[in-house]
Amino acid sequence: MAATHAFWLAGRRTTGEETFDVTSPWDGRLVGKVAVPTDAQVEEAVAAAYAVRDEFAATPAHVRAAALDHVSRRLVERTEEIARLISAENGKPMKWARGEVGRAVSVFRFAAEESRRFNGGEAQRLDTDAGGTGRLALTRRFPRGVVLGIAPFNFPLNLCAHKIAPAIAVGAPIILKPAPATPLSGLLIGELLAETELPTGAWSVLPVANDRMPTLVQDERLPVISFTGSDKVGFAIMDSVPRKHCTLELGGNGAAVVLADYASEKDLDWAATRIGTFSNYQGGQSCISVQRVVADASLYERLVPKIIAAVEAQVTGDPSDDATDVGPLVSEDAAKRVEAWVDEAVRGGARLLAGGKRDGASYAPTVLADVPADVTISCEEVFGPVLTLTQVDGEDAAFETVNDSKYGLQAGVFTHDVQAAFRAHRALEVGGVIVGDVPSYRADQMPYGGAKQSGVGREGVRYAMDDYTYERVMVFTGLAL
């Protein structure tokens, strides 16, 4: 029988009155039972976080850094176990699950490093005008208050890490709500945090159902909300609490642009391999997976067969098998949605060049060409292993095509021309431009976030720390400057 996983209430292991099952999207087996907090227990966690906020903000940097370092080391020690947990609850192939653990290791390490140097203060002479003679301003950052972190299912460990680690680094208490489909990885972070000496109440991990989220969102004791998920839910949260500080990491419709100068066989092989891999990694369930390829007409006919070959080379199957590249989607319903969108596109005139088959929760890596602009898969984030191909005449048309989307998370631009790269950086309405690679590249220390309906604010450890804090200035008077 699968174990029952307790949740973490103000830093202590706790169970509630009910449980829910976490099952594998690959074979439906029971992965674990999870205890559900009662309303009273949720209230206790929020009250504890609110009560400890001043104490935690004043905690010495070395205490917070030591806790973050500890979690980073323990993740390394338990890498294989945690990767198997991610794969079991999420359906992620082991090769990608191990990579996710490695990224979470780095997130906690980066946060430990940043916590040691964060908030040294910036001094500013004010005697640049006569009225400021003898005055010096010292600006420091202080936590906005308790953070409500709402994490998604697609990176059940690392995106929980991106909520928790920056909060601890700045001394902001955090209530983490992991995704109901994949709560086990977030609960495991709680297990490692419980081994540290952080103040009681500084953190909780509460696997509550989505329909209980509005109560937490509305709670005035939680002035900061960090949400990763769909644009519909994210903007509904922001609209419901306009006076709160919200960071929203939302959807994308990631484009890989292949410009005319990227035309050698070696260039096209590299671009096709990266596109084939990163349109399908995590089953396409990544906000920055490649959903669109926008290629110059001068090389389109040479590039397309290479992309098809790269996509068809992806090994699908059991996510626990080290050879598997593409596992199932998070649920059969998710796969049925992808199937419906592809079928709609084909009925509308799109050409199916590869894939297009569903088996339970799995959907075959798929390539479409000549996709009508008004079908769902052109307009929305597919969040599945589906790629569309478009040919354009020239750089300007390529950039216009990328921008013809309500989303703007990241874009990849395959070019050797440095001037073209800078033109792309200026022209593309996205949060990140990746030159010489797909839009799917993310380093966990860099600023990450989108434009338009892809979100508000930035993650990336230091940038999230800035989002969780605000500037407060202190002016000294009568100094001999």
Side-chain angles (χ1 to χ4, degrees), residues 171-186:
I174 182 165
I175 306 291
L176 177 74
K177 180 200 170 304
T182 58
L184 303 180
S185 300

Side-chain angles (χ1 to χ4, degrees), residues 191-215:
E191 181 181 334
L192 304 184
L193 285 171
E195 300 170 352
T196 71
E197 297 180 1
L198 293 174
T200 299
W203 58 274
S204 293
V205 182
L206 304 179
V208 298
N210 288 339
D211 61 7
R212 297 171 66 189
M213 189 168 65
T215 301

Side-chain angles (χ1 to χ4, degrees), residues 13 33 50 65 108 159 205 236 270 277 317 321 346 350 428 456 476:
R13 189 189 302 268
K33 290 182 174 293
Y50 186 75
F108 278 98
L159 293 184
V205 182
W270 165 255
T277 298
D321 187 336
V346 172
L428 295 178
V456 177
F476 291 93

